[in-house]
Amino acid sequence: MVDKNTVGIIGAGAWGTAVGKAIAQKGISVQLWSFEQDVADSINNEHENKRYLPGTKLPDTLTATSDLIEAASRKDYIILATPSLFLLGIAKQIITVPNIMEGKSTIGIITKGFLPGEDKPKPIVEVLENYLPGFYKGNLVYISGPSHAEEVAQGMLTGLISASINPKNSIRFRELLNSDSLKVYSSLDVVGVQTSAALKNVIAIAFGAIDALKEDSKIFGDNAESLVLAAGLNELMLLGKAMGATHPETFTSIAGVGDLDVTCRSVHGRNRRFGRDIVLKGIIDPYDNIDEILDNITKLPYLPEGVAACKMAYQLMLAFNLKLNIINFVYKVLNKEYTPKDALESILFK
């Protein structure tokens, strides 16, 4: 049990709110930062995030603000939870907060994806270490695992990995998050956990597309979905190894196969839903390529983070000269080079 600590969570989406609730239920003071004022008002006045996590009662120890600097100030722990597209801009805004400038806050990240680098995309932790004060080099904590926000918010049993080069910081977040329903395990493989978290969203888009196609197909069924799941795990391992993952068992743990499985199969998964909507609803029909989708990503009814991750994973695939059929498949579909059905025949199962 972590006593007498304050926590700031930067991002009041479903996942940030669910993590905030899990911590606040332990009697710890948690303040969420919300970009939308109505979300902050809903949390403060009605103890519910009606926009992103409706129907979940939030404890009094969880409050919200639309003031980013306030949310990051005077906090023992800061958790970055904004989507990857906006994460770097947010980090640049909070680096002047005194407790961050002085390295007094322990910082964790629950955002999934990659960030742009000078020559090729990089893991989130690596990029943030170059912007945050030097105290944080090797001290950031990355947290991931099979953890849909809806189930975490309901107190359903969930496992997470807390990964850091600094084992003490990994343990600090493990203790902060641990509860009867939330089980957290430590890891030193920061790159492997991050790669798994980013790529599983890309694989889930492919899985969703096949799930939709099998409704009117004699070719695609449960066997094909399991084939994609297993091949997807292999691509996680190949790209993770190329990027510097240190522990092969990361990919067979809840950080790898566990998160991949739930993201592909659960009805809560936005990226799985996005793959289905590409096939069944033509959700990307108005756009000419992946860049146009990303430029208009906030206009979609939900945010599929696998789109940004796919573009960067494709760049990494080329940079490392890897053959990753699922990543290639999803990229070519999002870039409007193939329809999902044609891409399946021409790329994925070739």
Side-chain angles (χ1 to χ4, degrees):
M1 176 69 177
V2 178
D3 295 318
K4 297 180 180 178
N5 284 292
T6 54
V7 180
I9 299 181
I10 311 302
W15 185 215
T17 303
V19 170
K21 180 190 176 189
I23 298 170
Q25 283 180 153
K26 299 168 69 174
I28 299 168
S29 175
V30 179
Q31 188 175 44
L32 286 168
W33 172 74
S34 170
F35 176 77
E36 303 96 345
Q37 184 63 51
D38 67 291
V39 171
D41 291 341
S42 173
I43 293 170
N44 290 330
N45 299 330
E46 302 175 61
H47 301 293
E48 180 183 358
N49 187 337
K50 290 190 171 181
R51 183 189 289 242
Y52 295 115
L53 201 61
T56 298
K57 191 69 174 176
L58 302 174
D60 294 344
T61 43
L62 178 64
T63 60
T65 179
S66 58
D67 185 328
L68 177 60
I69 302 304
E70 178 187 347
S73 297
R74 299 176 299 279
K75 301 298 190 297
D76 299 300
Y77 292 86
I78 294 173
I79 298 174
L80 302 177
T82 55
S84 59
L85 285 167
F86 315 117
L87 183 61
L88 192 54
I90 294 297
K92 289 178 180 179
Q93 292 181 62
I94 64 173
I95 57 175
T96 57
V97 171
N99 43 289
I100 295 177
M101 284 284 290
E102 298 168 10
K104 292 181 178 179
S105 297
T106 306
I107 297 179
I109 302 143
I110 59 175
T111 298
K112 295 173 172 65
F114 301 106
L115 292 177
E118 290 184 4
D119 55 341
K120 60 181 176 292
K122 305 285 187 182
I124 287 173
V125 168
E126 182 178 341
V127 175
L128 289 184
E129 283 181 344
N130 291 328
Y131 284 94
L132 292 168
F135 306 101
Y136 292 102
K137 188 76 171 180
N139 287 309
L140 296 179
V141 181
Y142 191 82
I143 302 152
S144 186
S147 50
H148 283 303
E150 294 83 357
E151 292 193 1
V152 172
Q154 293 171 31
M156 300 177 75
L157 183 62
T158 300
L160 293 173
I161 297 288
S162 172
S164 180
I165 295 174
N166 182 338
K168 290 183 179 179
N169 282 355
S170 170
I171 292 169
R172 287 188 181 104
F173 266 102
R174 188 182 74 192
E175 293 180 348
L176 179 71
L177 291 162
N178 253 330
S179 68
D180 290 341
S181 61
L182 201 56
K183 304 303 178 185
V184 188
Y185 307 90
S186 293
S187 171
L188 297 171
D189 190 5
V190 184
V191 173
V193 174
Q194 288 181 92
T195 306
S196 298
L199 291 185
K200 57 100 177 186
N201 284 332
V202 183
I203 307 304
I205 294 175
F207 192 96
I210 291 176
D211 190 63
L213 287 168
K214 81 174 188 179
E215 294 181 7
D216 189 32
S217 171
K218 295 182 180 180
I219 300 175
F220 306 119
D222 293 346
N223 294 345
E225 288 184 340
S226 289
L227 175 59
V228 169
L229 195 69
L233 178 61
N234 189 55
E235 295 191 11
L236 259 67
M237 295 172 68
L238 286 171
L239 188 53
K241 182 180 179 181
M243 295 187 72
T246 56
H247 293 64
E249 59 268 26
T250 295
F251 302 103
T252 56
S253 74
I254 57 174
V257 67
D259 204 3
L260 177 64
D261 178 70
V262 78
T263 305
C264 287
R265 296 193 185 279
S266 174
V267 294
H268 297 305
R270 292 190 303 270
N271 293 282
R272 175 183 184 272
R273 177 184 172 187
F274 186 65
R276 286 180 54 81
D277 286 349
I278 290 172
V279 174
L280 300 177
K281 297 183 179 180
I283 195 170
I284 64 172
D285 288 356
Y287 311 112
D288 291 334
N289 52 52
I290 193 170
D291 290 321
E292 280 197 11
I293 298 172
L294 288 168
D295 288 342
N296 294 277
I297 199 85
T298 57
K299 296 178 183 177
L300 298 176
Y302 52 90
L303 183 63
E305 289 211 69
V307 178
C310 179
K311 180 179 178 180
M312 295 193 184
Y314 184 77
Q315 294 170 352
L316 289 165
M317 179 188 79
L318 298 178
F320 290 116
N321 194 28
L322 297 173
K323 184 179 180 181
L324 305 174
N325 281 357
I326 299 178
I327 291 170
N328 189 30
F329 156 68
V330 176
Y331 179 84
K332 295 294 174 63
V333 169
L334 295 179
N335 207 39
K336 307 302 281 288
E337 297 177 43
Y338 287 92
T339 66
K341 186 175 181 181
D342 289 343
L344 284 168
E345 296 172 354
S346 302
I347 299 174
L348 192 53
F349 298 129
K350 186 175 180 180

